[in-house]
Structures are given as C-alpha cells and as structure tokens.
Amino acid sequence: MSGDGAETFRRSTAEAYDGHVGRYGSELAVALIGLAGVGGGDRVLDVGCGTGLLTAELAAVVGADRVAAVDPSEPFVEACRLRVPGADVRLAAAEDLPFADATFDAALSQLVVNFMGDAEAGVSQMARVTRPGGTVAACVWDYAGGMTLLRTFWDAAVALDPAAAPLDEGASMRHCQPDSLRALWESAGLRDIEGAQLTPSVRYASFEELWAPFTTGVAPSGAYTVSLDDDGRRALREEFHRRLGSPDGPFVLTARAWAVVGRR
Ligand SMILES: C[S@@+](CC[C@H](N)C(=O)[O-])C[C@H]1O[C@@H](n2cnc3c(N)ncnc32)[C@H](O)[C@@H]1O
C-alpha cells in the first residue's frame, strides 16, 4: 500500500478522518499505551499522529510537554496541534525522524506502518530515537478479518466490482498479521517482542453516520468510494448496509487491531 493510501491523508480534513476510522482511535490508543507500559515521567513520541488521537491519550498520561508527534500530512499536523496544545508536533515522516538518538523512553505508532513508504526504515528510526531499554510499539488493523467496518466495506465492494480486489486492504496491506509485524520489529533489532490484539468498538447512531465519511474520499476505502459514479456509489452503500445487517437505528461495531511491542 503506502503511496496512494498515504496520499489521501494529505488531502483530507481532520473532521473526515475523525468521523471515519478515527472514531476507534481513542479507545485503541488507551489500549496501546497500556500495552507499551507508558507511565508518568516518560518522554514519548507518536509517529504518524494523524489528527492526534493517540497524542492526546499520551498527553493525558505523561503531560503534553513530554509528548512529541510527527505526521507528513499538513492538515493533520495542524489538527493535532489544536487537539494537544503544548505537545511538540512536527511535519515529518517516520523514515526521517527529526530527533536525536535515544531522545524518548517510548515511541508509539497507531495504524501507520502500512502507510509508510519504507516501513523497515520507519521502524528503525523509531528504534533509533528510543533510549536503550526503551519501548517501541505499534498496532495495525486486522484488515483481513476482525476490523468489521473495513472488512465489510471491502467485501461489499469486491462483490459488486471484482476488479476492486487488489484495493482490498486485507490484500494490499503488507503488515496486517502478527507474524509480519514481529518480523518488522526483528528487522529493526528490537528484542523481547510481544504481540497482542486490541478490540475497540464504536456505537453508531445510524448507518448514515457510518457512511458519510466514506464519501469524503478519506483513507483507501474513501478514495475507492469517490472513484465510483453515482450509481456505483449507491449500489455500494446498499450492499454495505445489507452486509452489516440492514441497521435502521443505532448499532455497535467491534474492530480488531494487531499490536506489537519490543524493547530497544
Ligand atoms: C490511519 S492514519 C492513523 C493516524 C493516527 N495515528 C490515528 O491513530 O488516528 C495513518 C497516518 O499515517 C500518516 N503517514 C503516512 N505516511 C507516513 C509516514 N511515512 N510516516 C509517518 N506517518 C505517515 C498519515 O498522514 C496518517 O495520518
């Protein structure tokens, strides 16, 4: 994936992201922070901070002045600065982190490694800026299985349009299984590597609330949605709705992310 998927985030508004998968972000962040063992007094980095959902939860634990964050999307960096005043938020990519070696006690990254142009380089940089003995942790969606929102979306899309199969994030994302994440952590020289699954859930007021962000073009799923003509988009909406059990009121979806944590 990387290229095109990452590009959608440079053109997106923070509101579109926060209404889409961002709805899962705060609960996911709390679980990732717990897994990484971040505690008061730590100095921490959020890599690929997006609109700042993980950054804000890190700041709640260690204080904003002990949090740094980077993202290559200008609108997202701006949104993160507004969300977490006092944090050091910079426009930068994982592959070229603008920090000295061993600056942080922990470097975390939520739902980002698949969007890095060079994930091996990005994770190696996360290790470089973490002190010896410090923690490097990340999570990615289980696109192929337990991330119900995106799994159901792509199942609907491919059922209607088999040519969309290569765009299915369950197929296109390189790191969406525990083994691959572990191998990525090993490639960065990290040790004491452990995996976990994180299962945030979201309550939607209506199907329309779930669907609207897809029509903004945010993320690979949104980019596919806006590439369709009106009839195609209408058919996708109906098939997606049907596959979610045709909800006509509030409903809850659970997601699964694979997480990995290792020590520098
Ligand atoms: C799915 S969003 C996750 C955002 C945030 N971490 C969250 O949990 O809500 C993916 C993010 O990765 C960022 N990104 C893309 N390429 C990147 C790279 N090479 N280095 C760091 N971040 C990158 C995007 O701009 C976007 O903000």
Side-chain angles (χ1 to χ4, degrees):
M1 172 49 67
S2 73
D4 291 352
E7 186 53 36
T8 75
F9 297 118
R10 296 202 175 91
R11 294 191 304 263
S12 295
T13 64
E15 292 71 28
Y17 180 81
D18 288 348
H20 190 39
V21 287
R23 294 177 64 109
Y24 299 79
S26 299
E27 188 182 339
L28 186 62
V30 169
L32 183 63
I33 290 167
L35 184 72
V38 172
D42 283 350
R43 180 154 170 64
V44 297
L45 173 65
D46 178 1
V47 175
C49 60
T51 63
L53 298 166
L54 171 61
T55 324
E57 298 302 332
L58 285 168
V61 174
V62 302
D65 59 339
R66 302 186 74 79
V67 178
V70 300
D71 198 284
S73 160
E74 287 199 39
F76 284 5
V77 162
E78 207 44 53
C80 185
R81 285 183 180 139
L82 287 173
R83 194 189 295 269
V84 196
D88 173 7
V89 186
R90 305 189 193 181
L91 187 70
E95 295 88 337
D96 191 17
L97 291 176
F99 303 101
D101 295 359
T103 300
F104 301 99
D105 298 295
L108 278 67
S109 186
Q110 177 165 291
L111 309 175
V112 177
V113 297
N114 285 298
F115 296 102
M116 295 177 187
D118 182 343
E120 282 77 8
V123 178
S124 292
Q125 284 282 301
M126 290 173 71
R128 178 186 67 76
V129 301
T130 302
R131 67 165 170 79
T135 303
V136 179
C139 62
V140 297
W141 287 131
D142 175 14
Y143 295 101
M147 199 319 172
T148 310
L149 174 74
L150 295 177
R151 184 65 264 133
T152 312
F153 172 86
W154 286 114
D155 284 346
V158 173
L160 295 172
D161 172 15
L167 302 176
D168 173 353
E169 292 164 273
S172 66
M173 294 301 195
R174 193 172 149 213
H175 300 291
C176 58
Q177 296 292 342
D179 287 354
S180 147
L181 271 185
R182 171 175 281 275
L184 185 58
W185 254 232
E186 285 170 353
S187 78
L190 295 160
R191 58 191 170 80
D192 300 337
I193 300 170
E194 287 176 27
Q197 49 178 306
L198 312 177
T199 53
S201 58
V202 164
R203 183 179 188 279
Y204 294 93
S206 64
F207 178 77
E208 190 48 42
E209 184 179 74
L210 174 151
W211 174 248
F214 286 85
T215 64
T216 69
V218 67
S221 50
Y224 175 72
T225 302
V226 300
S227 76
L228 300 173
D229 61 18
D230 287 350
D231 285 347
R233 207 160 28 249
R234 202 170 302 117
L236 176 57
R237 184 191 185 286
E238 277 172 23
E239 182 63 12
F240 191 11
H241 183 237
R242 190 186 70 74
R243 284 172 180 257
L244 286 172
S246 304
D248 63 0
F251 61 100
V252 174
L253 293 187
T254 299
R256 176 165 63 192
W258 300 118
V260 63
V261 57
R263 200 160 300 290
R264 157 96 198 275

